[in-house]
Amino acid sequence: MIWLLLMLPYLTDSSAWFKELFLLSDGRCGTVPEGHLQPFGYHKQPGLPMATIPNSITADEFNRKFIQPSGYLPGIFRGLQGNSEAVRNWSDGYLADNFGHYKVLTEVKHELRQKYGKSLNTISKFLQEYRTTNQYIVTVLPDDMRRDVLMPPILQCGTFSHNLLELNFWMASGNTASQVHYDADHNIHCLIAGKKSFFMIHPDQYHKMNMQRLQNTGSDYCPTINQNKVDMLKEQSIGDVDYQWDVIHPGDCIFIPSQYAHQVRSYGRSISVTILWDPTLPFDPESMKDCHVNNTSTIADHNVVWNHKADDIFFDVGYATPYIMRDELLNIWSGWEDLVKSKGGFVKNWTYDEFSKVLFQSVKWNLVQCSYSRIWAALIAYGIDADKDLSISKSEIAQSSDDIMKAVSHFVDAPNLDDEMYNFAGKSSIIFLRRW
């Protein structure tokens, strides 16, 4: 081995394979890092299996056992969707006949979160092609499909039920692999068809991983890790990452806590529905009074902030919730109010000039991708100016409807639509295409 050390400085680029051979030996003949050039998870054995969550657990008990502990805890509801119409009926033919007209977003199977690669399709066209192409559906669950999916009992009433944000629909022919990542919201991922495996990584392992923020989201991911072929020579600290691993089958649902890293693989034809809710509002036990759970209640029976109607060409994925937008505006107002009073000034309503000046001075809102005039136009056009005096008061913000705040969300965040539609609409005309 000494002769290898002596020769290493003289090796040329053309002999990179020889350097690799030396590095693979790690200074000792015949040793290779565990899991090198293998899929994520091959670097060591998983830890304890994930907890099984009783399907009858109350929201209050669920909060105490799986959300309140530091870092949260994942777990699996076995058979929660077993009696759903979705598990019983969602064949390709049924989906085409009942929901084929819906537009959906598709992505490439092996996810690259920093390169979205979204395209637009219909369910019918996707069903004709998906077994022979590299695409899979990941989109907002079409509204008509909600009636076929059961609502988990813990989300039927109380604090969680008031914070339901988004429903997603996933479908693939198999062999999909997500990157190692975490998301901003709590998530119950229900498998309707197929088989999926989940690698769950506790936040106390993140210092061993190169987690990076995905721009304009609450998500982090590991851009340097090829989830299908991990280079353990470059990512040596991955060898020390502890994780849990489990498999879910049709009817099973897994709870993925907010900001809890995971990696997902699908095997064979697979369909999933995910239910996302806001983790920021504290659970109120008093909200469970008069709570009556119905084991046959479907998602269609409950209010979810974002939806997807049959004629929508825009996709409400990842937008801020209405009350968060409202709180942001109120926080900006309060900061501006304190500043004005500290200088002996008189607090008055926001006119456009005052509004644009205040937002320009706000770091968060100074990063928005559209002009302040468009945000102002959205607020006025959708009715925040209750007294029609072309100014906005603090009370008008506080009393604004969720629909008004939804409109503001669409102006602050970039729309989720395919490149062709985005180019057709044009960035400057999206406001005129949006319909409520």
Side-chain angles (χ1 to χ4, degrees):
M1 189 55 65
I2 293 176
W3 65 273
L4 280 174
L5 286 169
L6 293 173
M7 289 186 63
L8 194 60
Y10 300 99
L11 296 176
T12 65
D13 291 340
S14 62
S15 56
W17 65 270
F18 196 79
K19 296 180 185 178
E20 178 85 355
L21 175 65
F22 176 78
L23 292 171
L24 278 171
S25 72
D26 195 26
R28 304 179 301 276
C29 290
T31 63
V32 177
E34 190 75 19
H36 181 57
L37 302 184
Q38 297 294 317
F40 180 82
Y42 276 67
H43 60 278
K44 66 179 347 182
Q45 291 294 314
L48 294 174
M50 276 177 265
T52 297
I53 307 175
N55 294 343
S56 59
I57 193 171
T58 65
D60 196 8
E61 184 181 2
F62 176 82
N63 179 65
R64 291 196 308 269
K65 291 184 176 180
F66 294 91
I67 290 183
Q68 282 191 351
S70 177
Y72 308 129
L73 292 173
I76 298 176
F77 299 88
R78 294 293 182 187
L80 186 65
Q81 293 287 341
N83 293 322
S84 68
E85 293 295 320
V87 169
R88 287 201 290 257
N89 295 327
W90 280 7
S91 65
D92 286 5
Y94 180 92
L95 293 174
D97 291 343
N98 291 276
F99 315 117
H101 56 293
Y102 269 96
K103 296 180 180 68
V104 292
L105 292 172
T106 63
E107 296 184 10
V108 294
K109 282 185 177 180
H110 298 287
E111 181 188 42
L112 294 173
R113 290 175 78 86
Q114 69 272 36
K115 298 179 182 178
Y116 291 97
K118 287 185 174 72
S119 59
L120 188 68
N121 213 333
T122 64
I123 290 179
S124 286
K125 191 169 186 295
F126 172 83
L127 291 170
Q128 296 169 12
E129 303 170 343
Y130 80 109
R131 295 184 185 274
T132 57
T133 63
N134 194 37
Q135 298 289 310
Y136 73 100
I137 291 177
V138 51
T139 196
V140 181
L141 180 72
D143 285 2
D144 289 339
M145 300 177 79
R146 295 182 180 193
R147 64 177 181 262
D148 287 353
V149 183
L150 297 175
M151 179 63 82
I154 65 166
L155 301 180
Q156 290 187 20
C157 47
T159 301
F160 298 151
S161 69
H162 303 151
N163 301 326
L164 299 175
L165 303 180
E166 186 178 304
L167 307 167
N168 294 145
F169 172 56
W170 307 70
M171 184 172 183
S173 61
N175 192 31
T176 64
S178 74
Q179 281 195 308
V180 179
H181 70 284
Y182 69 67
D183 300 305
D185 302 315
H186 289 323
N187 175 6
I188 290 182
H189 183 121
C190 293
L191 189 64
I192 305 302
K195 181 175 76 170
K196 286 188 175 183
S197 63
F198 285 77
F199 298 80
M200 306 296 296
I201 303 140
H202 192 277
D204 66 11
Q205 300 296 301
Y206 293 173
H207 66 284
K208 306 171 188 176
M209 307 162 67
N210 181 25
M211 300 291 281
Q212 293 185 17
R213 178 56 50 92
L214 188 61
Q215 187 176 7
N216 297 325
T217 75
S219 300
D220 277 28
Y221 71 112
C222 290
T224 59
I225 297 177
N226 179 339
Q227 64 269 30
N228 295 315
K229 198 175 183 181
V230 182
D231 189 334
M232 298 301 295
L233 301 177
K234 294 181 179 177
E235 304 288 341
Q236 294 183 21
S237 62
I238 295 298
D240 296 323
V241 172
D242 297 322
Y243 66 95
Q244 292 177 284
W245 174 87
D246 219 319
V247 175
I248 63 172
H249 302 277
D252 294 342
C253 300
I254 181 171
F255 169 57
I256 305 173
S258 165
Q259 300 189 2
Y260 205 105
H262 53 283
Q263 200 255 336
V264 189
R265 294 182 176 274
S266 70
Y267 309 92
R269 175 183 179 271
S270 67
I271 302 175
S272 293
V273 171
T274 56
I275 307 169
L276 282 62
W277 75 97
D278 186 0
T280 62
L281 295 182
F283 186 85
D284 179 11
E286 293 296 313
S287 69
M288 298 303 296
K289 288 184 176 180
D290 302 320
C291 179
H292 301 288
V293 169
N294 181 352
N295 290 329
T296 63
S297 179
T298 70
I299 292 176
D301 300 326
H302 300 269
N303 182 52
V304 180
V305 171
W306 301 107
N307 54 24
H308 181 41
K309 297 179 175 60
D311 58 350
D312 283 349
I313 62 169
F314 292 84
F315 296 84
D316 291 330
V317 180
Y319 286 113
T321 57
Y323 52 82
I324 288 178
M325 297 302 299
R326 188 181 298 110
D327 288 347
E328 287 288 349
L329 283 170
L330 287 172
N331 287 337
I332 292 171
W333 180 288
S334 295
W336 166 76
E337 186 176 48
D338 291 343
L339 180 62
V340 171
K341 288 182 177 179
S342 70
K343 295 181 178 180
F346 176 72
V347 176
K348 54 186 178 180
N349 291 355
W350 276 344
T351 62
Y352 169 68
D353 288 341
E354 195 68 44
F355 175 81
S356 58
K357 185 189 304 181
V358 171
L359 259 63
F360 179 78
Q361 293 170 347
S362 170
V363 173
K364 176 180 175 64
W365 286 70
N366 198 27
L367 298 176
V368 298
Q369 300 180 25
C370 60
S371 69
Y372 305 133
S373 62
R374 292 194 178 280
I375 300 173
W376 177 263
L379 290 168
I380 298 297
Y382 289 102
I384 199 171
D385 180 19
D387 57 11
K388 309 297 183 184
D389 65 351
L390 295 181
S391 68
I392 299 174
S393 68
K394 186 176 183 179
S395 62
E396 285 175 332
I397 296 173
Q399 296 168 18
S400 60
S401 69
D402 285 352
D403 283 342
I404 292 173
M405 291 300 109
K406 281 185 181 181
V408 178
S409 293
H410 286 110
F411 282 85
V412 172
D413 295 328
N416 291 278
L417 67 166
D418 70 307
D419 292 340
E420 180 181 351
M421 289 303 302
Y422 193 76
N423 291 333
F424 171 76
K427 296 180 182 180
S428 62
S429 59
I430 286 173
I431 179 173
F432 302 111
L433 296 179
R434 171 63 69 181
R435 293 292 181 266
W436 293 94

